[in-house]
Amino acid sequence: MNRKKIVLAGNPNVGKSTVFNALTGLHQHTGNWSGKTVGAAEGILRRRGKEIKLIDLPGTYSLITDSAEEEVTRNCLCFEKFDGAVVVCDGCCLERNLIFALQVAQLVPKVLLCVNMLDDARKKGIKIDIEAISRETGLPAIGISAGNFEGLDELENAIFDLAEGKLKTDFVPVRYPKTVEHAIRVLAPAFEKFGFSGAFAALRILEKEPGFLGEFEKRFGKTEESEDLSTAIEKAEKVLAEEGLKGGFSDKIASCLAFRAEEIFLSAVSFSENVKKNRDEKIDSVLTGKYLGIPAMLILFGFIFWLTVSGANYPSEMLSELFSKAGNLFGSLLEKASAPAVLKSFLVDGIWNVLSWVVAVMLPPMAIFFPLFTFLEDIGYLPRVAFNLDRGFKASGACGKQALTMRLVYNGGFLHIIPRRCFF
């Protein structure tokens, strides 16, 4: 069956996987933190006797990539064939999410905006005018609360209409400096034969963004090999050079996107005083505060470290005793069968004991630590850890997101200490 394909994209922690699971009936979880397998979950959306393949892309803050999950999302949106994109936004932090949505709309001709977590937004006193968002962006928009299945029927209908071409989109372009827009008009037509529409590809080439340029040349060959494209690039760069912008306007592009997102936000969102909002702000003042953020993080991870080590000792000992008895029984059966001593040593002392020790030592701490780490991700604490440590990591030439990788490596290191407590 030749199914239509729709991709789900969005920032991390906007409830995208919840939307995907609610629509498809699956229980997939697409990772968006370092150390977790990066991939795109797939499921089938069935309605009206028809089927659509739904692809849940890893959460990413930008299509200008600097991590594995961003690369997966960028490559899919830029280079794969599909019938439309649904950009999921968090109604509680819509302004930030709209920056990514604008990037996608510059690349994908058919985009549907899905504003999720409306129930949380209402609790925080945030009023969102979905029609205003659609009017300001020129894109169809749907408001939902995936956690309690609010608005999912409307979203399903919109997805099918999007895939079948019945949902019209008329994206309102982001305004850039006149010189940049002139360069885009010169360069954008040269990308149409490669399947690109809009300003995204032209901007990435003009900014000489290495991730996009490298993937483009890997798939289509060097830009110099296409006479039309190389000529257009040369003309566009000449336009920029005349205004002194050649290779130095990335910040201007980012500022224009942020300014446009702010315009849409101010037109569509209003606030009312709410106790829940004040409470969340007080919690964030502790978890991400200048003086309390780091100590709170150390205390929390210290508790998880202690819980993992202490809690793993008892099940490790029980598994070790169980495997030991099974090994002895296995050895006795081999003796009764008059098996050679070498064979018994190979099977029992070599294979069985080694495998059972590994399972007994590694399984309990993994069964404790990884669910706890996933819980911290689901409640939104891990991005706050990355925020707290971003300044320190940037001073070392890294970024705050790498703190999560270090946390996993640190956990892997102390797993090797547990056998001394369990067996020696």
Side-chain angles (χ1 to χ4, degrees):
M1 181 184 295
N2 187 20
R3 299 188 183 99
K4 300 282 188 179
K5 288 198 300 185
I6 297 291
V7 297
L8 286 181
N11 288 172
N13 303 303
V14 297
K16 182 167 52 62
S17 292
T18 304
V19 173
F20 174 82
N21 292 335
L23 291 174
T24 62
L26 299 178
H27 298 285
Q28 299 281 354
H29 187 75
T30 303
N32 52 33
W33 41 271
S34 303
K36 192 168 186 177
T37 302
V38 175
E42 295 185 359
I44 303 299
L45 173 61
R46 296 179 175 88
R47 195 177 180 88
R48 308 175 184 173
K50 300 179 181 179
E51 294 183 348
I52 286 179
K53 178 184 284 189
L54 212 58
I55 302 172
D56 181 19
L57 299 176
T60 175
Y61 291 107
S62 173
L63 292 181
I64 303 174
T65 65
D66 64 359
S67 65
E69 65 272 12
E70 290 175 351
E71 184 176 336
V72 168
T73 300
R74 189 275 316 278
N75 287 348
C76 179
L77 290 173
C78 289
F79 302 107
E80 301 300 330
K81 293 183 178 180
F82 49 89
D83 299 286
V86 178
V87 180
V88 182
C89 302
D90 180 358
C92 298
C93 48
L94 189 58
E95 183 177 0
R96 183 186 68 190
N97 294 172
L98 282 172
I99 296 175
F100 175 76
L102 293 173
Q103 281 188 323
V104 176
Q106 289 180 324
L107 173 65
V108 180
K110 295 162 60 176
V111 175
L112 169 66
L113 295 181
C114 172
V115 183
N116 191 23
M117 301 185 185
L118 290 185
D119 53 342
D120 288 340
R122 285 192 292 266
K123 292 176 183 177
K124 295 180 179 181
I126 302 173
K127 299 177 181 179
I128 301 174
D129 186 343
I130 301 297
E131 292 183 1
I133 293 175
S134 182
R135 185 173 59 251
E136 287 289 323
T137 60
L139 304 173
I142 303 291
I144 70 166
S145 296
N148 55 25
F149 301 98
E150 175 187 340
L152 285 182
D153 286 341
E154 186 180 0
L155 177 60
E156 287 182 4
N157 288 329
I159 289 175
F160 274 94
D161 288 342
L162 183 71
E164 295 168 0
K166 298 177 181 177
L167 200 62
K168 302 301 180 182
T169 61
D170 188 17
F171 176 57
V172 179
V174 178
R175 296 186 297 274
Y176 295 114
K178 289 184 178 180
T179 305
V180 176
E181 291 193 346
H182 184 191
I184 292 172
R185 287 196 299 271
V186 170
L187 184 53
F191 282 99
E192 291 180 358
K193 67 178 182 180
F194 300 103
F196 290 97
S197 61
F200 183 84
L203 286 171
R204 298 291 77 76
I205 294 295
L206 291 173
E207 291 179 297
K208 299 189 184 302
E209 199 266 303
F212 177 85
L213 182 59
E215 190 66 27
F216 180 88
E217 293 186 338
K218 185 190 300 182
R219 293 172 182 259
F220 302 110
K222 298 289 185 181
T223 55
E224 304 85 43
E225 296 174 359
S226 172
E227 184 177 351
D228 293 342
L229 183 56
S230 59
T231 301
I233 292 175
E234 185 178 343
K235 289 181 180 178
E237 289 181 341
K238 186 177 180 180
V239 170
L240 294 175
E242 289 175 355
E243 297 293 330
L245 291 177
K246 186 176 181 179
F249 63 99
S250 298
D251 291 343
K252 293 182 182 293
I253 298 302
S255 297
C256 290
L257 285 169
F259 181 73
R260 180 63 182 136
E262 184 182 13
E263 278 186 332
I264 299 167
F265 176 80
L266 293 175
S267 300
V269 179
S270 59
F271 296 89
S272 62
E273 288 298 323
N274 190 280
V275 176
K276 179 72 161 41
K277 180 182 176 183
N278 293 334
R279 187 185 69 186
D280 288 351
E281 289 176 349
K282 289 178 182 178
I283 293 173
D284 276 343
S285 69
V286 174
L287 297 181
T288 61
K290 182 177 180 181
Y291 301 106
L292 297 177
I294 300 296
M297 179 193 69
L298 293 175
I299 291 172
L300 177 60
F301 280 139
F303 171 73
I304 292 176
F305 173 88
W306 171 82
L307 184 63
T308 303
V309 174
S310 299
N313 281 327
Y314 303 106
S316 289
E317 290 174 1
M318 292 175 60
L319 285 174
S320 177
E321 292 178 3
L322 179 63
F323 287 140
S324 178
K325 291 178 180 179
N328 292 334
L329 178 61
F330 185 36
S332 300
L333 292 175
L334 289 175
E335 287 180 358
K336 291 180 179 180
S338 301
V342 174
L343 179 61
K344 176 188 174 185
S345 178
F346 174 73
L347 294 176
V348 178
D349 299 329
I351 296 178
W352 177 260
N353 285 346
V354 170
L355 290 178
S356 63
W357 285 348
V358 170
V359 172
V361 170
M362 299 298 292
L363 181 59
M366 289 173 63
I368 295 173
F369 174 79
F370 285 105
L372 289 174
F373 207 66
T374 300
F375 173 73
L376 293 180
E377 181 195 14
D378 289 340
I379 64 174
Y381 183 65
L382 294 188
R384 290 168 172 79
V385 171
F387 172 81
N388 287 335
L389 298 177
D390 188 60
R391 177 178 294 182
F393 273 71
K394 279 186 175 179
S396 305
C399 69
K401 289 191 291 185
Q402 291 174 270
L404 308 180
T405 304
M406 290 193 66
R407 181 68 186 91
L408 289 171
V409 172
Y410 179 62
N411 176 71
F414 77 69
L415 290 181
H416 297 291
I417 301 174
I418 297 177
R420 295 182 176 84
R421 300 191 60 182
C422 291
F423 306 121
F424 297 100

